[in-house]
Amino acid sequence: MAGGKTRVLVVDDNEDLRNTIGALLQADGFDVVLAADGQAALAQHQVRPVDVVLTDLFMPDKDGIETIVELRKLSPGVKIVAMSGWTSSQGSDYLQVAREIGASVTLQKPFDPEELSRVLRRLVT
């Protein structure tokens, strides 16, 4: 935690959502870093590690599942929150898959900003 603040990396290819979540978390006292996809997230985390990664699952270039797998190899102790608004038509639950491969917590989009804040605080205490 940089200067006592929890560093949170928000990873989402939707720029508006990424910026909105980032602004909400900053207003809530978190040190926020933003990335548009898993590739950028991993690069940011390697340069300046974060405490928590909040990642979307469906993104171009490197999706959330791949990102979670690589983060677990790179930093086994980092907390990961996977978020998604999708479930497949075949009934596969991508959030369940994210939990199985290492996400600490999963959130179904849309979620309440206060719920996100509670989840993050619970993860870092």
Side-chain angles (χ1 to χ4, degrees):
M1 290 189 269
K5 279 189 173 184
T6 299
R7 281 180 52 81
V8 179
L9 174 56
V10 179
V11 190
D12 200 307
D13 60 318
N14 179 319
E15 184 178 7
D16 290 339
L17 183 60
R18 182 175 68 241
N19 289 337
T20 299
I21 292 172
L24 287 167
L25 294 177
Q26 278 184 321
D28 207 20
F30 293 98
D31 180 14
V32 178
V33 183
L34 304 175
D37 60 42
Q39 198 76 24
L42 290 164
Q44 293 240 22
H45 181 66
Q46 285 179 307
V47 170
R48 204 164 153 229
V50 298
D51 303 299
V52 181
V53 177
L54 174 63
T55 185
D56 188 24
L57 292 182
F58 293 95
M59 299 176 289
D61 300 326
K62 185 175 293 290
D63 69 26
I65 298 293
E66 294 172 299
T67 303
I68 292 167
V69 169
E70 290 191 34
L71 279 166
R72 280 286 162 244
K73 288 180 191 167
L74 188 64
S75 299
V78 72
K79 306 294 186 202
I80 300 172
V81 178
M83 57 182 177
S84 179
W86 296 89
T87 55
S88 98
S89 57
Q90 292 82 29
S92 175
D93 182 343
Y94 293 105
L95 291 172
Q96 178 62 36
V97 171
R99 282 189 294 274
E100 290 170 3
I101 62 163
S104 311
V105 177
T106 58
L107 290 172
Q108 181 76 41
K109 288 180 187 176
F111 48 80
D112 176 19
E114 285 159 18
E115 178 188 8
L116 174 60
S117 182
R118 278 193 304 272
V119 164
L120 293 178
R121 292 202 186 290
R122 197 169 51 237
L123 281 175
V124 297
T125 55

